[in-house]
Amino acid sequence: MEINLISDTFTKPTSEMLKFMMSAKVGNDVFDGDPTVIFLQDKLAKLFGMESALFFPSGTMANQTAVKIHTQPGQQLISDKWAHIYNFEGGGVSFNSGVSCALIDGDRGMFTAEQVRQYINPDSIHIAETRLVAVENTTNKGGGACWNINELIRIKSVCDENNLAYHWDGARLFNAMVVKNEMPKQYGELFDTISICFSKSLGAPIGSVLLGSNDHMQKAKKIRKLFGGAMCQVGYMAAAGIYALDHHIERLADDHQRASYLGEVLNRNPYIKKVEPIETNIVIFNLIDELDDQKFIESLQREKILISSMGNGKLRMVTHLDFTDEMLEIVIKVLNNLKI
Ligand SMILES: *Cc1c(COP(=O)(O)O)cnc(C)c1O
């Protein structure tokens, strides 16, 4: 049995999810004719108290579309230096939207309203115009950290004062909500746009959604087409999202517990230098300086346990729907008996 802790994107649909997908009523979504896609979009818009939602093939495309509808070429967005939209979307914000990024040196992928204020450019012919603030919650490279909603509210005020759009990259948004015990509507009222992934911790094979006003989603639909993301009978995939919303949110607490347990076990072992604080399903740690990351990864691989490196000595494990208690026991045994 192979145990994959590289990412929560490796999950396979459960047989119940597959059954639900197979029985979806579909139509041509390019012509707004897929009832299952429309159902998912409406369900999410309602859940977040936002006007409209749009289905996308990937979180990257949803984020890139959000940046595109909020900015013009030459303008600038503000994000954390670890943000997915800056680091892991192929440089898309400059390619697709022609914008530059002002990168805040935050804490585990999060920053403060005061920092945002410092990064807003003055009105000048010499300097790029600041137009958008993008936050990520939970943070990916920041180890699944969750924002304090009060800071998000303070940043919203800074955005309002300075006429900036406010986007939330919520690839793992429901992980944050489960931990913080907050309601979707509390977030819906803060942001201009929110992206959500179903293919991460929610266990769907494909699919993301962008939420926003009717006007923004009208624009987003044109951009999605331009990016090549308008799809025909895609209700089969939207069905996986509907199933995940109904069945896979509460169980995220189990993933979080397993991640926290892995962190405790790592912390007790002499080969570990540091484990980052664990709030959700991501465990990031460093080995002591004498040890080689690659060799550590390979010694786990020999035991059929797969983990990944994030560079700069950071190693990562991500718990998910297909990582069971039985697998957790195996991983713990291996970690405690590792000869390196
Ligand atoms: C995974 C991820 C995305 C989008 O990824 P896709 O693979 O394109 O769906 C966006 N933001 C964050 C923080 C992510 O972790």
Side-chain angles (χ1 to χ4, degrees), residues 55-340:
F55 190 71
F56 280 82
S58 73
T60 297
M61 198 190 282
N63 280 336
Q64 291 297 317
T65 298
V67 174
K68 186 79 186 156
I69 62 180
H70 293 310
T71 62
Q72 292 298 321
Q75 294 179 331
Q76 193 164 74
L77 67 80
I78 295 175
S79 74
D80 185 85
K81 66 182 187 298
W82 284 352
H84 194 279
I85 59 164
Y86 174 70
N87 288 283
F88 303 124
E89 298 185 6
V93 295
S94 55
F95 188 91
N96 296 317
S97 299
V99 299
S100 55
C101 298
L103 300 172
I104 297 179
D105 185 15
D107 172 31
R108 294 185 298 140
M110 301 177 293
F111 44 82
T112 64
E114 203 34 59
Q115 282 175 306
V116 173
R117 229 183 265 284
Q118 286 163 14
Y119 277 76
I120 296 171
N121 288 333
D123 184 13
S124 157
I125 60 161
H126 302 287
I127 307 174
E129 183 186 352
T130 308
R131 185 62 203 107
L132 167 69
V133 175
V135 301
E136 185 173 312
N137 192 16
T138 71
T139 63
N140 180 339
K141 206 175 172 187
C146 306
W147 287 73
N148 180 326
I149 194 167
N150 293 323
E151 201 58 51
L152 293 173
I153 292 169
R154 282 191 280 274
I155 293 173
K156 161 78 173 154
S157 303
V158 176
C159 289
D160 287 347
E161 285 161 29
N162 294 278
N163 193 29
L164 307 179
Y166 196 20
H167 173 68
W168 177 4
D169 174 356
R172 295 189 182 80
L173 161 162
F174 285 105
N175 294 81
M177 257 174 220
V178 165
V179 166
K180 296 288 188 187
N181 206 15
E182 278 153 357
M183 304 308 292
K185 287 198 172 97
Q186 290 175 270
Y187 292 94
E189 65 187 29
L190 287 181
F191 291 92
D192 294 300
T193 45
I194 299 177
S195 65
I196 304 171
C197 280
F198 297 107
S199 54
K200 291 272 165 74
S201 45
L202 292 181
I206 285 181
S208 285
V209 154
L210 186 67
L211 293 150
S213 67
N214 286 332
D215 184 41
H216 278 146
M217 289 310 102
Q218 220 32 54
K219 288 185 181 133
K221 200 182 268 183
K222 287 187 183 164
I223 304 299
R224 185 184 66 174
K225 174 68 187 179
L226 183 153
F227 284 169
M231 299 175 286
C232 297
Q233 287 73 27
V234 74
Y236 294 116
M237 293 306 160
I242 295 167
Y243 185 88
L245 285 177
D246 290 342
H247 298 93
H248 291 169
I249 291 181
E250 274 174 36
R251 62 154 305 285
L252 291 174
D254 299 339
D255 293 346
H256 300 165
Q257 209 165 12
R258 289 182 189 119
S260 149
Y261 200 38
L262 281 175
E264 280 173 34
V265 170
L266 285 170
N267 249 329
R268 281 200 294 270
N269 271 294
Y271 52 79
I272 298 294
K273 181 175 172 184
K274 183 181 173 208
V275 181
E276 303 274 340
I278 298 165
E279 292 184 63
T280 53
N281 66 331
I282 302 178
V283 182
I284 293 181
F285 60 98
N286 290 72
L287 301 176
I288 52 174
D289 296 338
E290 299 85 299
L291 292 179
D292 180 73
D293 288 349
Q294 206 45 43
K295 282 194 183 135
F296 181 81
I297 291 174
E298 282 162 16
S299 53
L300 287 178
Q301 218 166 3
R302 280 192 287 278
E303 306 287 338
K304 293 194 164 54
I305 297 169
L306 310 181
I307 73 164
S308 65
S309 164
M310 306 197 81
N312 298 326
K314 282 177 191 271
L315 296 173
R316 189 178 86 158
M317 298 179 182
V318 186
T319 61
H320 50 74
L321 185 63
D322 289 350
F323 179 66
T324 61
D325 275 334
E326 185 198 355
M327 293 176 180
L328 176 67
E329 290 306 318
I330 295 171
V331 174
I332 288 169
K333 212 173 278 172
V334 169
L335 287 174
N336 285 336
N337 293 295
L338 214 50
K339 291 191 181 44
I340 41 178

Side-chain angles (χ1 to χ4, degrees), residues 40-59:
L40 173 66
Q41 291 173 168
D42 289 350
K43 185 177 169 79
L44 274 165
K46 209 162 148 201
L47 189 65
F48 281 81
M50 295 173 89
E51 281 178 0
S52 188
L54 197 63
F55 190 71
F56 280 82
S58 73

